[in-house]
Amino acid sequence: MNPPVRVLYLAGSGRSGSTLVTTVLGQYDGVFAAGELRYLWQRGEVENRPCGCGRPLRDCPLWGEVRRELPTDRAAAIAAGLRGRLRMRGLPALLRRHRRGVRPVPEHPDDAALADLYAAVARHTGARVVVDSSKLPPYGALVGALPGIELRVLHLVRDPRATAFSWRRRRGLDGDADPELMSRPPVGKAALLWLVWNTVTVRLWADRAPAGYLRVRYEDLTAEPEATLRRIAAFAGVDPAGGPFTGPATVRLTPTHSVAGNPSRHRTGPVPITADVQWRRDLSRRSYALVTALTAPGLRRFGYPWRRGGPAAANPAGSGSSVAVGSGRSAQVRQPASAGHEEG
Ligand SMILES: [Zn+2]
């Protein structure tokens, strides 16, 4: 029997730096940056959207090898099945099952195809660690219960005022030229989603299996990129030597073959990693107050201040001149080489 496939699952809310972390991890030996694998069936197979390497997914040689082992003719049905099984309204039942110690997401005939996907990815890339940045906690719970998978969960958390601000930016799904926009929930909805996904991530993994769980805050990641990536690599079982860092906060990126995720996954070359703090200046007082009120229990849990510019954030406040991870278009204009690891 084959050894289990180690999957580093990036869990939490969107716009928290997961695309950056995935792309950077993909530069290490023995790691494959798969991207958001829950979207492989719809955005990859059905819609043939670009792979991280720039080719339409069905034209990418690497995914060509993997796809040969999958029931691609059933991709649309598998995608629809996943959407149905991962609905928000199923969360209370999911958590109840988890508390009782049974599979949080019940078995389904498509699970064989999902297990085959991870096994085929590991086999064709030769990777010891597959990074899946799907983020959605229920999907992570589903993957963790598949046969042949060893799941480790990296929980990325970012200040909810920053993520709510980031969600409002207009961005094409696969870059600025893409007419299909990434979703733009109102700040109140973004705040509630932040609270739900981060709370569920803690319930599923931090409370039950702390050895397979690592929590990293975006603000700490951008304050000390190299040191934080070292910690993540060690947690994933990856040799931190030979990574892409050319300085404490600069990486040299080569193309990955990631599926879906933030358009910034297509960026290559030298990329400085700094925090996007535009929200500190540009998020309205009303939105700030609304997001703060809605996410109050999570702010305390994850160590974020109530007041703007409060003391708890590890990220240096007010460094408005250096913008990159999580930055949007305005930052790209100012600093084209460093902008935009935004939501992922
Ligand atoms: Zn590719």
Side-chain angles (χ1 to χ4, degrees):
M1 200 174 140
N2 292 322
V5 176
R6 181 175 297 163
V7 174
L8 181 70
Y9 190 77
L10 273 51
S13 168
R15 315 277 168 138
S16 302
S18 66
T19 299
L20 168 74
V21 171
T22 303
T23 308
V24 172
L25 284 173
Q27 315 293 317
Y28 288 83
D29 242 14
V31 179
F32 179 65
E36 301 185 30
L37 281 178
R38 75 182 164 110
Y39 287 125
L40 172 76
W41 309 96
Q42 182 63 37
R43 293 192 192 167
E45 189 62 38
V46 175
E47 298 174 14
N48 202 22
R49 287 182 167 276
C51 174
C53 69
R55 299 180 187 89
L57 185 107
R58 297 203 297 261
D59 296 339
C60 167
L62 185 125
W63 284 106
E65 299 280 315
V66 172
R67 291 170 59 247
R68 259 199 284 284
E69 302 191 27
L70 303 177
T72 50
D73 54 323
R74 290 184 40 243
I78 293 172
L82 276 177
R83 284 194 295 274
R85 298 167 75 195
L86 303 174
R87 273 192 229 289
M88 191 89 155
R89 65 167 180 257
L91 273 182
L94 178 145
L95 290 172
R96 273 199 303 278
R97 283 190 292 269
H98 176 69
R99 275 198 299 276
R100 293 206 314 269
V102 298
R103 281 176 68 126
V105 183
E107 271 182 275
H108 187 280
D110 289 345
D111 285 352
L114 299 180
D116 287 348
L117 164 62
Y118 290 86
V121 164
R123 196 161 45 246
H124 287 290
T125 61
R128 293 189 307 279
V129 177
V130 175
V131 182
D132 182 342
S133 52
S134 293
K135 294 189 288 290
L136 198 68
Y139 182 71
L142 190 166
V143 172
L146 294 174
I149 301 273
E150 181 203 329
L151 195 76
R152 296 198 184 178
V153 174
L154 172 63
H155 183 187
L156 289 170
V157 187
R158 185 181 182 191
D159 190 309
R161 281 75 53 114
T163 58
F165 179 78
S166 175
W167 278 116
R168 293 302 298 156
R169 289 190 176 120
R170 290 178 73 86
R171 300 198 73 189
L173 200 56
D174 276 298
D176 290 350
D178 193 332
E180 189 173 340
L181 295 178
M182 303 183 82
S183 68
R184 299 176 63 223
V187 290
K189 183 179 176 190
L192 289 173
L193 289 174
W194 182 93
L195 187 64
V196 167
W197 296 136
N198 284 304
T199 304
V200 171
T201 300
V202 167
R203 293 260 171 86
L204 282 173
W205 293 292
D207 294 347
R208 183 69 68 85
Y213 170 91
L214 176 68
R215 180 153 72 224
V216 168
R217 299 195 319 168
Y218 168 96
E219 293 76 12
D220 302 328
L221 169 72
T222 50
E224 289 189 295
E226 188 181 19
T228 308
L229 258 300
R230 251 174 202 282
R231 205 150 61 87
I232 294 171
F235 168 71
V238 173
D239 181 1
F245 281 89
T246 56
T250 313
V251 284
R252 183 174 294 279
L253 301 178
T254 58
T256 66
H257 292 285
S258 59
V259 177
N262 187 277
S264 66
R265 69 199 162 98
H266 299 296
R267 175 165 316 127
T268 57
V271 176
I273 300 174
T274 52
D276 170 21
V277 291
Q278 192 192 345
W279 68 276
R280 289 180 184 274
R281 193 188 59 222
D282 292 348
L283 183 67
S284 72
R285 286 165 81 108
R286 193 181 159 277
S287 294
Y288 188 96
L290 178 65
V291 175
T292 300
L294 291 173
T295 59
L299 292 177
R300 184 169 296 121
R301 182 196 288 266
F302 301 118
Y304 291 110
W306 283 49
R307 281 183 307 184
R308 205 185 291 245
N315 198 29
S319 55
S321 61
S322 81
V323 199
V325 184
S327 61
R329 269 186 205 156
S330 59
Q332 287 179 8
V333 171
R334 273 181 285 160
Q335 206 173 6
S338 69
H341 294 291
E342 183 161 304
E343 61 279 15

